[in-house]
Amino acid sequence: MAEQKYYLAIDIGASSGRHILGWLENGKIRIEEIYRFENKLVKQNGHLCWDMDHLFHEVVEGLKKCQSLGRIPESVGIDTWGVDFVLLDAGGSVIGNTVAYRDSRTQGMDDEVYKVVPEKELYGRNGIQKQLFNSIYQLMAIKKETPVAFEKAKRFLMVPEYLNYLLTGVQMNEYTNATTSQLVNAETQDWDYELMRRLGIPTEIFGELQMPKTTVGPLTPAMAERVGFQTTVVLPATHDTGSAVMAVPTTSDDSIYLSSGTWSLMGIERLIPDCTEASRQHNFTNEGGYHHRYRYLKNIMGLWMMQNLRREFRHKYTFEELYQLAYIARYFTSTVNVNDASFLAPDSMRQAIKDYCARTEQEVPETEGELLYCVYRSLAKCYAETVVEIETVTGRTYDTIHVVGGGCQDKFLNDLLAKATGKKVFAGPIEATAIGNLMAQMLRTGVFADLNEARRTVAKSFDVKEVEEVKF
């Protein structure tokens, strides 16, 4: 009997990270979480930053867990959120702090970019949704505040690429995450060097873009000794949404996906980008996907608002209790624009919601239930509007929405989504990002012939259920 082959997905989000082992057994993908750790923003020199030393320490500790369990992975893949990066000097050391996307340093940087490249032209080049935290605006902030960093910089690596470098000694840029920078040309699927030159961003720090399934390399000898085994680091779709979309359990093109977590990413998969003015006006993005696909989607604030409210509430409610509180407050009618900048990193989410309602002359939520239902209703409304926009821009009607990721467990939000859109809604799989990460590794070794076969396997391996009406 052949020895079981294991694969390891290291999936790091804004609040936590997990090491998830995956393997194929009786024609189904099996997964097991073997390690979990906390991730959070830290204040350094007046900026919100990521603690990269802490993150890498946890990556290593999770790898050691494989050794203690006696399940050595054939390969390892790391995915994280998008847009954030490090600049490395000639010695391979990080220049300055790793400033996070929720930091305010990018305020006004859009105007600085548009002085050189008008917004309409920029979208025509890369088709990426305008978000003030995109890497392009972060780089402009560095150019304005600390230009010496550009003088010292020898390489640009996004967060998962930097972690790969620490494991292997190889500096490699990956396509799906690179597209979130707003510096990749949508047509050529390569860095837009002309754009960089016009903006005064050094082009030589950007390496050749590699696709998911590419081998980064083996662990360095020192790292192999530290974790207790040797393995191969492989590129998944290193942008977590890119991995999550791979795990959408359908091969049909008649469905919309909603990757639901701290952020909500709602859209469709396309084989050609749409960088038209109509698409820009609707603020859709053409992010890179597996095997040259495009993730045509909108970034929506997502469960971030709920997560922050939950932290502020005096009582530590279970998720079931939160749903019930919101359900009881269904009489409350005020809504907010969940994508308003005031909700990105407020000192108090409760106060930010109240202030928004007051500012827009709506009834101000007072109870915890009213605050929760205000957010739930607002999210469902935003999802429904996005569905209409997708159908308007594409000239097509979609009958199904697949909700994947941790947020697919929120049965109350799923129910509101189904009611607001009138679509069939299916929830699952929960660990979509890690599963997509594992799929890329398995595709590399020929476990699956192609993405469609892998998706069919996901559909039969995990609990995917049609959403039903919630009643408490």
Side-chain angles (χ1 to χ4, degrees):
M1 186 174 172
E3 188 179 345
Q4 182 66 66
K5 285 188 177 180
Y6 296 99
Y7 303 85
L8 182 68
I10 304 176
D11 171 28
I12 307 176
S15 58
S16 68
R18 293 87 49 76
H19 290 57
I20 295 180
L21 275 174
W23 64 97
L24 198 69
E25 184 179 301
N26 299 325
K28 292 183 177 182
I29 300 171
R30 303 298 188 194
I31 60 171
E32 181 185 349
E33 181 183 302
I34 61 166
Y35 191 75
R36 178 180 284 262
F37 58 92
E38 184 186 17
N39 185 25
K40 61 182 179 181
L41 295 171
V42 293
K43 238 348 186 350
Q44 293 177 327
N45 300 325
H47 290 290
L48 290 172
C49 301
W50 300 112
D51 185 343
M52 295 304 295
D53 291 339
H54 162 74
L55 279 184
F56 185 62
H57 169 79
E58 296 291 5
V59 165
V60 172
E61 289 303 301
L63 286 169
K64 288 179 181 176
K65 187 74 173 177
C66 295
Q67 168 67 12
S68 66
L69 291 171
R71 290 194 276 175
I72 307 305
E74 180 94 352
S75 61
V76 176
I78 302 176
D79 67 77
T80 75
W81 62 96
V83 307
D84 287 340
F85 58 87
V86 300
L87 297 178
L88 301 182
D89 63 19
S93 298
V94 177
I95 299 167
N97 298 315
T98 308
V99 179
Y101 66 87
R102 290 193 189 275
D103 186 71
S104 61
R105 69 172 171 170
T106 54
Q107 291 296 325
M109 290 303 112
D110 49 344
D111 292 334
E112 294 298 321
V113 169
Y114 302 151
K115 283 177 189 173
V116 182
V117 183
E119 185 176 2
K120 192 173 173 179
E121 182 194 341
L122 186 65
Y123 188 86
R125 298 178 81 103
N126 54 53
I128 296 297
Q129 176 183 6
K130 180 190 174 179
Q131 296 188 111
L132 198 51
F133 49 67
N134 288 349
S135 316
I136 190 171
Y137 306 116
Q138 295 196 44
L139 287 162
M140 285 303 282
I142 291 172
K143 183 184 171 187
K144 292 288 178 185
E145 293 176 11
T146 52
V148 68
F150 277 176
E151 294 168 24
K152 293 180 181 176
K154 296 299 179 188
R155 269 314 284 267
F156 168 100
L157 293 178
M158 303 196 85
V159 168
E161 299 163 353
Y162 175 61
L163 296 171
N164 287 343
Y165 164 59
L166 294 178
L167 289 173
T168 65
V170 177
Q171 298 175 355
M172 185 180 286
N173 294 119
E174 187 270 330
Y175 169 67
T176 68
N177 216 341
T179 61
T180 71
S181 70
Q182 219 171 334
L183 291 168
V184 173
N185 186 287
E187 294 291 344
T188 66
Q189 299 182 324
D190 196 5
W191 295 114
D192 191 333
Y193 293 112
E194 184 201 339
L195 174 64
M196 294 174 188
R197 282 190 284 270
R198 286 168 64 183
L199 293 172
I201 296 170
T203 58
E204 65 276 8
I205 65 176
F206 298 87
E208 182 182 352
L209 289 179
Q210 304 293 338
M211 287 288 171
K213 282 200 312 186
T214 302
T215 299
V216 181
L219 301 179
T220 63
M223 191 55 59
E225 185 177 350
R226 187 171 164 188
V227 302
F229 61 89
Q230 183 56 273
T231 189
T232 302
V233 176
V234 172
L235 294 177
T238 63
H239 184 216
D240 50 14
T241 311
S243 280
V245 169
M246 283 181 69
V248 173
T250 180
T251 57
S252 165
D253 63 356
D254 290 331
S255 61
I256 290 170
Y257 59 77
L258 173 59
S259 178
S260 182
T262 300
W263 285 93
S264 290
L265 301 307
M266 191 174 212
I268 56 173
E269 214 170 34
R270 306 183 84 165
L271 296 178
I272 55 171
D274 182 350
C275 302
T276 63
E277 180 61 10
S279 181
R280 183 183 78 84
Q281 290 292 344
H282 286 286
N283 207 23
F284 277 99
T285 201
N286 294 268
E287 290 177 358
Y290 176 78
H291 205 246
H292 302 279
R293 287 165 166 79
Y294 293 89
R295 292 174 284 128
Y296 190 67
L297 59 83
K298 269 197 174 184
N299 280 278
I300 299 166
M301 194 68 81
L303 301 181
W304 165 253
M305 297 174 74
M306 244 89 78
Q307 292 162 353
N308 278 265
L309 283 176
R310 187 174 182 237
R311 278 194 286 269
E312 287 184 53
F313 291 162
R314 285 191 299 276
H315 182 71
K316 297 299 178 191
Y317 294 110
T318 65
F319 288 107
E320 192 71 22
E321 288 169 336
L322 289 176
Y323 307 155
Q324 290 185 22
L325 278 171
Y327 184 82
I328 291 165
R330 296 190 317 285
Y331 59 84
F332 193 73
T333 58
S334 298
T335 57
V336 300
N337 173 7
V338 294
N339 298 314
D340 191 82
S342 61
F343 304 127
L344 190 61
D347 292 330
S348 166
M349 187 63 73
R350 179 198 294 255
Q351 196 57 49
I353 293 167
K354 287 185 169 191
D355 290 347
Y356 184 97
C357 289
R359 193 164 66 245
T360 53
E361 299 181 342
Q362 299 181 85
E363 184 180 355
V364 175
E366 297 297 338
T367 68
E368 291 172 339
E370 287 174 352
L371 283 160
L372 285 165
Y373 189 65
C374 178
V375 174
Y376 269 114
R377 190 164 184 263
S378 301
L379 269 176
K381 180 175 178 237
C382 186
Y383 294 155
E385 289 168 352
T386 302
V387 167
V388 170
E389 288 183 277
I390 290 170
E391 294 183 334
T392 300
V393 171
T394 61
R396 290 189 55 185
T397 300
Y398 299 84
D399 56 13
T400 305
I401 299 173
H402 279 275
V403 187
V404 299
C408 80
Q409 299 170 93
D410 193 325
K411 58 186 181 182
F412 187 52
L413 184 56
N414 291 342
D415 180 31
L416 290 176
L417 169 65
K419 288 184 172 118
T421 61
K423 309 288 185 187
K424 276 187 186 175
V425 177
F426 291 88
I430 296 165
E431 296 290 356
T433 300
I435 294 164
N437 182 323
L438 294 166
M439 286 163 66
Q441 297 180 58
M442 290 177 171
L443 281 158
R444 169 183 166 270
T445 57
V447 173
F448 304 116
D450 54 29
L451 182 59
N452 279 345
E453 184 188 340
R455 281 176 165 162
R456 285 192 292 270
T457 306
V458 169
K460 67 180 181 182
S461 301
F462 299 97
D463 196 17
V464 179
K465 290 182 177 176
E466 185 169 358
V467 169
E468 297 176 351
E469 185 175 0
V470 172
K471 290 178 181 174
F472 292 102

